[in-house]
Amino acid sequence: MITAVDVIRTKRDDGELSTAQIDWVIDAYTKGEVADEQMSALAMAIFLNGATPREIADWTAAMIRSGIVLDLSGVGRPCVDKHSTGGVGDKITLPLAPLVAVFDVAVPQLSGRGLGHTGGTLDKLESIPGFDVILGESGIVAQLEEVGAVVCAATGDLAPADKKLYALRDATSTVESIPLIASSIMSKKIAEGADAIVLDVKVGSGAFMKEFSQAKELAETMVRLGGDHGVDTRALLTDMSVPLGRTAGNALEVRESIEVLAGGGPPDVVELTVALAREMLAAAGKPGLDPAAALNDGRAMDKWRQMITAQGGEVDAPLPTARHTEEVTAETDGFVVDMDAYAVGVAAWRLGAGRTSQGQPVQAGAGVEILRTVGEQVRSGEPVFRLHTDTADRVAAAKEALSGGWRIGAVPSDRGPIVLDRLLADPDKP
Ligand code: URA
């Protein structure tokens, strides 16, 4: 007979859990037969002692089996999903999903809400008046057939074990563990039923993984898990030491995404959107296409309009703006040489763009606008940031988060490359 205490003791003493132990503990936890305090202890033991590739594979498979797997076989097109491990100003899903759908590839983007300093795609899209993020399985399939792209909340019955465990990890400081992050992300993604998955694994101060070596290990673990389940999985490792683009905050990021869809927008956002689109198209068996052209000629914008309208969004309605804005100015002449993603993320969060506990409302208009970014010249007294909030008394805390998070130097420096590495499960594929 397997008991929770035995499973915890095995891992506490740095032993290896058997497949039967893992299957049992995930199933029993999902049903409420293993208590939260027992799962917390087990998560901490895994956090401290790690897990073998076999244990991670079994843990992921058990979490997938805890719920349903979406059946997208009726969609009639290859289905490719993108997942980002989360960052500051990471609005890439917004232009990317319609862009890839232009090429007759279905993009089911089941997304999450922001927690902490990283924003959530659903919170961003909900700043569009009327936009509905709750679609059932049949609604998702219907929209993929009609439009080709959908961005909505994951249905409650996909990997329910992960849903419970993720909330517990958040409350017990056991999030930043490669086995637990890899199994959490891949169980949800595999349960979404896509044929291929492209991972955007972030590296740097604004990411879970601050070091390149950790991010690479996470990416390798996830690519292997996808391969184990017959899903073509590939990963780009991308820079998150500097915020992406010039905005962090819900409606602010929607506005910037629309600029990208209109053929403009910040170069780093365009570069990453196009790099991920190329990867998704290659994974769908369509290598060598030119996604950048579809941003410039209006096809991606047309698809965005269809997608927003299909989900009830008023595509031409003005986006919400914050009631109060305030600028942060440079104290010397020079060039912006540093812009710490984490500091900007925390500032946006404190202004009201994010939440401190699940279920809290967010301010649609709140966030940080970056008026001068890395490499750009600024004169003393000129604004570097514009802070947006509905609650002016939050500004002091946001300024405090930013202080020390950016620097002006005498010599201009580059932002550095966005895409740092690329990993494929099958290196022979394009
Ligand atoms: N995102 C997830 O879905 N799970 C994690 O564990 C971390 C980030």
Side-chain angles (χ1 to χ4, degrees):
M1 189 185 120
I2 300 172
T3 69
V5 172
D6 286 340
V7 174
I8 296 164
R9 186 185 306 115
T10 303
K11 209 64 226 172
R12 181 199 67 188
D13 296 344
D14 205 10
E16 188 171 355
L17 298 176
S18 68
T19 304
Q21 283 178 308
I22 291 172
D23 287 351
W24 177 84
V25 81
I26 296 287
D27 182 53
Y29 179 59
T30 311
K31 291 180 184 150
E33 291 163 7
V34 163
D36 276 349
E37 57 269 27
Q38 292 175 310
M39 200 50 157
S40 304
L42 182 58
M44 186 57 86
I46 294 173
F47 183 93
L48 295 173
N49 290 328
T52 64
R54 202 218 84 248
E55 287 177 300
I56 301 172
D58 285 345
W59 190 273
T60 307
M63 293 219 289
I64 296 169
R65 277 197 305 275
S66 72
I68 62 159
V69 175
L70 285 188
D71 180 5
L72 302 179
S73 57
V75 170
R77 277 174 263 186
C79 293
V80 185
D81 195 356
K82 187 270 305 190
H83 181 82
S84 155
T85 55
V88 177
D90 184 2
K91 69 271 303 168
I92 301 292
T93 295
L94 277 58
L96 181 65
L99 174 60
V100 173
V102 164
F103 297 91
D104 270 336
V105 170
V107 187
Q109 280 299 147
L110 274 53
S111 303
R113 296 190 181 278
L115 192 64
H117 74 281
T118 64
T121 299
L122 300 182
D123 295 325
K124 295 172 197 179
L125 282 168
E126 277 181 343
S127 63
I128 301 172
F131 190 85
D132 185 8
V133 300
I134 310 293
L135 273 71
E137 182 172 353
S138 58
I140 293 172
V141 172
Q143 189 166 324
L144 286 175
E145 284 170 358
E146 274 164 39
V147 180
V150 60
V151 185
C152 63
T155 68
D157 33 19
L158 289 180
D162 177 63
K163 209 151 274 153
K164 272 186 91 174
L165 183 55
Y166 191 68
L168 196 69
R169 286 168 54 215
D170 199 40
T172 55
S173 204
T174 49
V175 171
E176 300 92 337
S177 143
I178 289 175
L180 294 175
I181 296 176
S183 55
S184 164
I185 292 175
M186 292 308 288
S187 61
K188 284 184 289 237
K189 290 286 129 183
I190 293 166
E192 280 174 30
D195 304 305
I197 299 169
V198 174
L199 300 163
D200 179 3
V201 180
K202 303 287 189 197
V203 190
S205 73
F208 281 124
M209 299 289 135
K210 315 288 180 207
E211 302 299 330
F212 182 82
S213 59
Q214 295 174 312
K216 186 143 185 176
E217 189 186 335
L218 175 63
E220 283 167 351
T221 306
M222 292 196 289
V223 166
R224 194 174 52 236
L225 286 172
D228 290 349
H229 289 267
V231 182
D232 179 340
T233 306
R234 21 181 103 204
L236 296 184
L237 271 81
T238 69
D239 178 63
M240 188 28 76
S241 52
V242 175
L244 263 174
R246 289 180 177 271
T247 56
N250 302 309
L252 291 170
E253 292 192 46
V254 173
R255 199 166 293 127
E256 190 168 271
S257 303
I258 292 172
E259 287 169 19
V260 172
L261 287 158
D268 57 345
V269 178
V270 176
E271 181 184 336
L272 185 53
T273 303
V274 169
L276 287 165
R278 284 215 173 90
E279 221 49 76
M280 290 171 78
L281 292 170
K286 300 186 174 201
L289 295 172
D290 179 15
L295 289 176
N296 294 326
D297 65 16
R299 282 176 292 160
M301 179 67 94
D302 289 345
K303 194 55 87 178
W304 159 265
R305 294 179 65 83
Q306 270 180 39
M307 180 181 92
I308 299 301
T309 307
Q311 291 182 239
E314 294 171 37
V315 75
D316 292 316
L319 288 164
T321 51
R323 282 197 280 274
H324 179 82
T325 60
E326 200 166 317
E327 289 174 347
V328 176
T329 52
E331 286 176 4
T332 50
D333 292 351
F335 296 88
V336 178
V337 288
D338 262 343
M339 173 79 55
D340 179 58
Y342 182 71
V344 173
V346 172
W349 176 27
R350 289 185 179 173
L351 289 165
R355 49 175 71 77
T356 44
S357 63
Q358 278 174 7
Q360 255 181 0
V362 294
Q363 293 182 17
V368 176
E369 211 181 328
I370 300 165
L371 304 171
R372 296 280 194 287
T373 192
V374 173
E376 292 178 344
Q377 193 167 19
V378 64
R379 300 211 177 280
S380 173
E382 283 180 352
V384 176
F385 300 100
R386 186 173 297 125
L387 311 181
H388 299 243
T389 182
D390 291 336
T391 28
D393 57 1
R394 290 170 178 251
V395 167
K399 283 186 171 169
E400 187 195 323
L402 283 175
S403 79
W406 57 288
R407 211 160 49 83
I408 293 183
V411 183
S413 68
D414 257 4
R415 189 207 192 287
I418 308 288
V419 178
L420 306 173
D421 205 351
R422 175 173 184 250
L423 295 176
L424 294 181
D426 178 354
D428 293 332
K429 287 211 167 160

